[in-house]
């Protein structure tokens, strides 16, 4: 499905609001476009209508008294009214005259004294006339004034109605756009929750953030501004062409040439704009990613004096972004006012040529009202054309942004399962498991061990030996390529990831804390975990001794990542979190490596409580912390090279013995 169709599909979810907005838009356009027709009627029928034929009559409604006699316009004459000879009121330059007879023909007028001369080709006629004073002329206009005021009131009423419906149309369109973007952002964020961990290994967080914020905001502009402009312009153009065809078919047909020109330009524009916008959006994501990475690693950048190099790297990205922005700017500058200005001038040239030619033909006298209406409609025609051309840039930005958002949403993921099972016993078995982050490059090779309920399993080995990879597989952050992992005899591939994780807890070397409070970081706002459970978990790990001096106690605010807390305090919160969720399987990943001796003593006391009734996996570099483990697995380059408890491994005097002796020697030297 194309990006355009998918964007339309999102819009159809709120079609009732959009249809209501388009209905209001149609009413608004119709009422607005009625204006020139009303103005034409006022000019031709009432202001210039005074030059139509009048008849001598008796005193009555809409009859005008002049020189002791009454006259009525042919338009207002009724069949039961007696009429006499016809007369005419004519305008010669700025003077109005009274002609006491019917004209033989009309043509070019000239006035000398009270003698009117009318010439049409070789024909010439002269009439004796009376020049009308201002008050006499006003008397002849009196029958028109009520109708003029009625039409003006109608015109004003239509403008008010148009404004009301225009407000409603914009309100509903923007409301639907906000709803669509709200839904889209929720879908994108939901998709992020579905994506496997390996996706984020290769896709920077800043780029993901750009998809959710910048790209969806560009799409919002599509629904709020672009589509609103396109819908409005389409209805306006349709209405204006309908009005032009009513007024004059030939000129309206000439104006139709605008449409293929506009369509051709749109095709050309989109060809280049799409290319530029893709680069711009991509560089924008790269810039976001780099800013995010720089903020996260600012301490390292400053510690190693990498500020200048980082700035130069950012400058290259920014320069490329600027370069393509300028290309797009040049393209837009060629289109908007320049293109529309040329088209406007061409249409007005055609208009002047056509009406000039028509005016030369005596049989085709064009009224001033028609002329006014045409000029008004042609001017109005270019407003929506200008709107369409100006929004082409936003349209392309939105389509490119939509393409990027939908690419993220098309990534294979897995729905978060709501399936809940009884608490695991915690019997874990790795059956000849092999795994690699890259195809064909195994970091774990034929890992084979078994952990029974309540046992503590320690994983030791040098960096890169595969300790964390085993935990990643157990959590199903990744799936094995060979072999099988079972929990309580069930292959974990057959159990939904979320179901497995509901019975597992993890404490990382560098625990992640969220913005909130100490208590909310323990419960993670899970409604199933009560305040009492939170406080008990904190007390059990000894956190009450550490946090008792804080002003707000367990409700002390925590900013992003808990940067105002010490590493020991963060670790205690992480331990309390694991305890509060009461997992069947507990993983401690270097959990005590960055903690001071005093805090470690507190945690060691709590760990005995924490491990009861649970299968516990400990990844540790400090071998002194795992002496009481039921099993110790020694890993080297992805292979288990030794297995047993502390006493057995020390007795065998293998790799574990060497590591332990080395650490003990280092401790003695440090002492």
């Amino acid at each position: 499905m194309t990006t355009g169709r998918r964007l339309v599909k999102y819009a159809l979810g709120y079609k009732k609001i959009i249809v209501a907005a388009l209905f209001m838009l149609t009413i608004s356009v119709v009422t607005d476009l009625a204006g020139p027709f009303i103005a034409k009627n006022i000019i031709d029928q009432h202001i210039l209508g005074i030059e139509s034929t009048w008849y001598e009559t008796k005193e009555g409604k809409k009859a005008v008294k002049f020189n002791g006699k009454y006259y009525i316009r042919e338009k207002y004459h009724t069949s039961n009214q007696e009429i006499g000879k016809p007369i005419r009121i004519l305008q010669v330059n700025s003077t109005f005259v009274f002609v006491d007879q019917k004209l033989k023909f009309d043509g070019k007028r000239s006035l000398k004294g009270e003698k009117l001369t009318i010439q049409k080709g070789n024909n010439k006629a002269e009439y004796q006339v009376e020049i009308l004073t201002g008050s006499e002329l006003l008397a002849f206009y009196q029958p028109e004034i009520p109708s003029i005021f009625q039409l003006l009131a109608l015109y004003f009423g239509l403008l008010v109605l148009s404004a009301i419906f225009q407000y409603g149309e914009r309100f509903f369109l923007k409301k639907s756009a906000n709803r669509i973007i709200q839904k889209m952002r929720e879908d994108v964020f939901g998709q992020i929750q579905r994506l496997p961990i390996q996706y984020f290994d290769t896709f920077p967080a800043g780029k993901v953030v750009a998809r959710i914020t910048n790209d969806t905001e560009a799409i919002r502009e599509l629904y709020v501004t672009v589509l609103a402009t396109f819908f409005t312009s389409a209805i306006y153009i349709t209405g204006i062409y309908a009005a032009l065809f009513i007024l004059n078919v030939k000129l309206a047909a000439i104006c139709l040439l605008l449409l293929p020109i506009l369509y051709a330009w749109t095709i050309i524009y989109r060809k280049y704009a799409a290319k530029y916008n893709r680069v711009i959006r991509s560089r924008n994501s790269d810039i976001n990613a780099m800013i995010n990475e720089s903020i996260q690693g600012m301490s390292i950048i400053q510690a190693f004096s990498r500020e200048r190099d980082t700035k130069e790297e950012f400058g290259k990205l920014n320069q490329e972004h600027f370069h393509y922005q300028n290309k797009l700017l040049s393209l837009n500058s060629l289109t908007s006012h320049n293109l529309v200005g040329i088209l406007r001038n061409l249409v007005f040239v055609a208009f002047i040529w056509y009406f000039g030619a028509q005016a030369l033909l005596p049989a085709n006298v064009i009224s001033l009202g028609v002329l006014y209406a045409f000029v008004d409609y042609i001017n109005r025609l270019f407003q929506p054309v200008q709107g369409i051309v100006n929004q082409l840039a936003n349209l392309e930005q939105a389509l490119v942004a939509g393409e990027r958002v939908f690419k993220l949403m098309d990534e294979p993921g897995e729905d978060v399962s709501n399936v809940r099972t009884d608490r695991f016993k915690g019997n874990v078995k790795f059956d000849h498991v092999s795994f690699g982050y890259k195809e064909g490059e195994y970091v774990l090779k034929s890992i084979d061990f078994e952990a029974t309920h309540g046992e503590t399993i320690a994983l030791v080995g040098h960096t890169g030996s595969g300790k964390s990879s085993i935990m990643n597989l157990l959590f199903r952050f990744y799936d094995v390529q060979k072999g099988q992992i079972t929990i309580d005899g069930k292959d974990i591939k057959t159990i939904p990831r979320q179901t497995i994780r509901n019975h597992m807890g993890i404490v990382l070397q560098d625990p992640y804390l969220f913005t909130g409070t100490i208590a909310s970081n323990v419960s993670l706002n899970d409604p199933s975990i009560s305040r009492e459970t939170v406080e008990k978990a904190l007390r059990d790990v000894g956190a009450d001794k550490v946090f008792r001096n804080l002003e707000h106690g367990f409700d002390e605010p925590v900013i992003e990542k808990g940067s105002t807390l010490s590493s020991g305090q963060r670790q205690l919160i992480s331990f309390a979190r694991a305890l509060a969720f009461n997992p069947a399987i507990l993983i401690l990943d270097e959990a005590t490596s960055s903690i001071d001796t005093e805090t470690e003593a507190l945690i060691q006391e709590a760990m005995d409580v924490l491990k009861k009734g649970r299968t516990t996996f400990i990844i540790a570099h400090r071998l002194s912390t795992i002496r009481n483990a039921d099993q110790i697995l020694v890993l080297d380059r992805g292979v288990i090279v030794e297995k047993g408890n502390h006493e057995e491994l020390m007795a065998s005097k293998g790799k574990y013995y060497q590591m332990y002796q080395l650490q003990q020697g280092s401790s003695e030297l440090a002492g």
Side-chain angles (χ1 to χ4, degrees):
M1 190 183 293
T2 63
T3 300
R5 287 186 178 181
R6 293 181 74 168
L7 290 171
V8 169
K9 187 178 178 182
Y10 263 96
L12 290 177
Y14 302 91
K15 59 186 175 185
K16 289 183 179 179
I17 300 176
I18 294 173
V19 167
L22 293 181
F23 172 75
M24 290 185 170
L25 174 61
T26 305
I27 300 296
S28 170
V29 170
V30 170
T31 51
D32 190 36
L33 292 180
F37 267 105
I38 294 173
K40 171 188 172 297
N41 195 277
I42 291 173
I43 294 169
D44 285 348
Q45 299 300 321
H46 299 288
I47 295 176
L48 298 181
I50 196 174
E51 290 199 359
S52 61
T53 304
W54 293 69
Y55 291 98
E56 191 177 322
T57 187
K58 294 180 180 180
E59 183 179 0
K61 188 179 179 182
K62 296 203 175 183
V64 178
K65 187 177 182 181
F66 179 71
N67 288 344
K69 296 179 181 179
Y70 289 91
Y71 300 94
I72 190 168
R73 263 185 71 182
E74 184 177 26
K75 177 182 177 182
Y76 301 127
H77 166 251
T78 58
S79 57
N80 59 356
Q81 248 179 330
E82 292 183 15
I83 56 173
K85 67 176 183 178
I87 64 100
R88 294 290 299 274
I89 306 294
L90 300 177
Q91 182 180 6
V92 186
N93 297 325
S94 60
T95 305
F96 284 84
V97 298
F98 178 87
V99 184
D100 192 18
Q101 58 182 290
K102 187 177 181 180
L103 298 183
K104 296 175 184 177
F105 52 84
D106 201 358
K108 186 178 179 181
R109 305 168 186 174
S110 60
L111 182 66
K112 192 173 183 181
E114 293 189 346
K115 193 172 187 178
L116 173 66
T117 302
I118 298 178
Q119 191 166 354
K120 184 178 181 182
N122 295 324
N123 298 321
K124 185 177 180 182
E126 294 182 344
Y127 303 92
Q128 193 66 31
V129 300
E130 286 186 61
I131 298 174
L132 297 176
T133 64
S135 58
E136 290 170 338
L137 177 63
L138 187 59
F140 279 101
Y141 269 117
Q142 281 301 320
E144 312 302 325
I145 291 174
S147 297
I148 290 173
F149 276 120
Q150 287 175 7
L151 289 171
L152 289 175
L154 175 63
Y155 191 13
F156 179 75
L158 289 175
L159 287 177
V160 172
L161 195 65
S162 176
I164 292 171
F165 278 98
Q166 200 171 70
Y167 165 80
E169 165 255 322
R170 288 178 181 171
F171 175 81
F172 281 113
L173 267 183
K174 289 189 177 183
K175 181 179 179 181
S176 64
N178 289 335
R179 288 283 191 191
I180 291 165
I181 296 305
Q182 179 189 27
K183 176 72 166 61
M184 185 176 288
R185 280 180 175 161
E186 286 175 355
D187 288 349
V188 176
F189 193 78
Q191 168 69 357
I192 291 172
Q193 313 305 311
R194 297 176 64 250
L195 293 173
I197 293 296
Q198 60 258 41
Y199 179 83
F200 301 98
D201 292 341
T202 56
F203 204 79
K207 290 191 175 185
V208 178
V209 172
R211 300 282 170 95
I212 301 175
T213 55
N214 297 358
D215 288 339
T216 53
E217 191 60 27
I219 296 170
R220 182 180 175 277
E221 281 300 305
L222 170 71
Y223 292 113
V224 171
T225 308
V226 178
L227 292 186
T229 301
F230 277 36
F231 280 134
T232 305
S233 299
I235 294 173
Y236 257 101
I237 290 171
T238 303
I240 289 169
Y241 272 116
L244 289 176
F245 272 104
I246 291 170
L247 291 171
N248 192 296
V249 175
K250 289 184 179 179
L251 187 60
I254 293 172
C255 291
L256 279 175
L257 292 173
L258 280 174
L259 300 182
I261 294 173
L262 194 61
Y263 178 75
W265 175 250
T266 302
I267 298 298
I268 296 169
Y269 174 86
R270 290 192 61 191
K271 178 182 176 182
Y272 292 98
K275 175 185 173 183
Y276 298 155
N277 271 305
R278 281 191 182 91
V279 178
I280 289 167
R281 304 305 298 185
S282 177
R283 290 300 161 271
N284 191 52
S285 287
D286 293 340
I287 287 170
N288 276 349
M290 186 173 180
I291 291 171
N292 181 68
E293 188 179 62
S294 298
I295 292 171
Q296 299 285 345
M298 188 57 68
S299 57
I300 301 299
I301 291 171
Q302 293 184 358
F304 288 90
S305 301
R306 302 296 298 169
E307 295 95 336
R308 182 175 294 176
D309 295 320
T310 305
K311 185 179 178 182
E312 287 176 2
E313 189 179 342
F314 178 83
K316 289 177 182 177
L317 286 175
N318 204 25
Q319 176 60 33
E320 191 172 356
H321 183 269
F322 170 78
H323 175 69
Y324 279 93
Q325 281 279 27
N326 271 358
K327 280 180 171 286
L328 190 61
L329 178 64
S330 300
L331 183 63
N332 291 335
S333 298
L334 285 171
T335 60
S336 54
H337 294 290
N338 291 334
L339 174 68
V340 176
I342 291 169
L343 294 176
R344 187 196 300 270
N345 291 335
L346 288 174
V347 170
F348 270 110
V349 167
F351 172 77
I352 293 167
W353 168 80
Y354 178 80
F355 271 110
Q358 292 292 303
L360 294 174
L361 301 174
N364 295 326
V365 178
I366 300 163
S367 74
L368 184 60
V370 172
L371 193 64
Y372 168 82
F374 252 105
V375 172
D376 195 334
Y377 279 127
I378 289 174
N379 273 322
R380 287 171 183 249
L381 177 63
F382 282 94
Q383 292 172 10
V385 170
Q386 180 87 54
I388 289 173
V389 171
N390 286 347
Q391 289 304 323
L392 287 176
N394 288 334
L395 172 65
E396 281 309 311
Q397 284 182 12
L399 290 176
V400 170
E403 187 180 302
R404 287 158 53 81
V405 168
F406 292 132
K407 184 179 179 182
L408 175 62
M409 293 178 71
D410 289 338
E411 290 288 338
E414 186 175 312
D415 292 332
V416 177
S417 174
N418 294 320
V419 176
R420 296 291 182 265
T421 62
D422 293 336
R423 191 172 188 268
F424 291 160
K425 289 181 180 178
N427 298 312
V428 178
K429 183 177 181 182
F430 275 62
D431 186 6
H432 297 91
V433 169
S434 295
F435 166 74
Y437 294 101
K438 295 180 181 179
E439 192 173 348
E441 297 180 16
Y442 291 110
V443 296
L444 294 176
K445 303 160 191 174
S446 196
I447 300 296
D448 192 68
F449 70 89
E450 189 170 350
T452 57
H453 168 69
E455 276 192 336
T456 298
I457 311 299
L459 303 175
V460 299
H462 298 297
T463 301
S465 60
K467 304 183 298 295
S468 295
S469 296
I470 288 176
M471 297 303 98
N472 285 338
L473 293 178
L474 189 57
F475 256 96
R476 281 202 72 194
F477 290 144
Y478 302 88
D479 281 328
V480 302
Q481 276 101 29
K482 291 181 181 179
Q484 186 183 60
I485 301 173
T486 62
I487 297 177
D488 298 341
K490 291 182 180 179
D491 187 341
I492 64 172
K493 283 188 176 181
T494 65
I495 308 172
R497 297 175 197 270
Q498 197 60 43
T499 304
I500 293 173
R501 293 166 192 166
N502 283 333
H503 301 285
M504 300 178 75
I506 189 167
V507 178
L508 299 171
Q509 179 181 358
D510 186 16
Y512 194 94
L513 300 186
F514 298 90
T515 302
T517 64
I518 291 172
S520 70
N521 268 284
V522 172
S523 68
L524 295 180
N525 297 314
D526 189 326
S528 66
I529 298 177
S530 66
R531 175 74 182 196
E532 290 74 20
T533 303
V534 169
E535 292 183 0
K536 185 177 185 303
L538 285 164
R539 284 195 300 271
D540 287 346
V541 299
D544 56 328
K545 300 173 186 175
V546 176
F547 296 127
R548 63 189 170 191
N549 295 325
L550 296 178
E551 182 181 353
H552 301 288
F554 295 149
D555 292 313
E556 185 72 16
V558 175
I559 63 173
E560 184 184 5
K561 296 172 67 177
S563 55
T564 56
L565 301 173
S566 69
S567 58
Q569 289 173 325
R570 292 197 301 271
Q571 198 63 278
L572 281 172
I573 295 171
S574 182
F575 263 89
R577 178 192 295 165
L579 185 59
F581 277 83
N582 191 28
I585 299 169
L586 178 66
I587 296 169
L588 306 177
D589 187 356
E590 308 282 2
T592 59
S593 63
S594 59
I595 295 174
D596 58 82
T597 307
E598 184 181 348
T599 308
E600 184 182 352
L602 286 173
I603 290 177
Q604 288 291 353
E605 290 175 12
M607 279 177 64
D608 292 335
V609 177
L610 189 61
K611 291 189 292 184
K612 281 182 182 178
R614 297 180 176 86
T615 305
T616 306
F617 291 87
I618 301 176
I619 298 174
H621 282 151
R622 290 159 70 174
L623 303 184
S624 59
T625 62
I626 58 166
R627 290 185 59 170
N628 296 326
D630 297 294
Q631 284 189 68
I632 299 172
L633 307 180
V634 182
L635 290 143
D636 184 34
R637 298 180 183 179
V639 177
I640 297 176
V641 293
E642 291 181 19
K643 186 190 301 184
N645 59 33
H646 176 73
E647 287 74 18
E648 291 170 347
L649 294 176
M650 289 296 289
S652 67
K653 296 191 176 182
K655 197 170 187 66
Y656 178 83
Y657 174 82
Q658 294 172 7
M659 293 169 64
Y660 190 83
Q661 290 295 104
L662 185 63
Q663 282 194 10
Q664 288 297 106
S666 299
S667 299
E668 289 171 7
L669 286 172

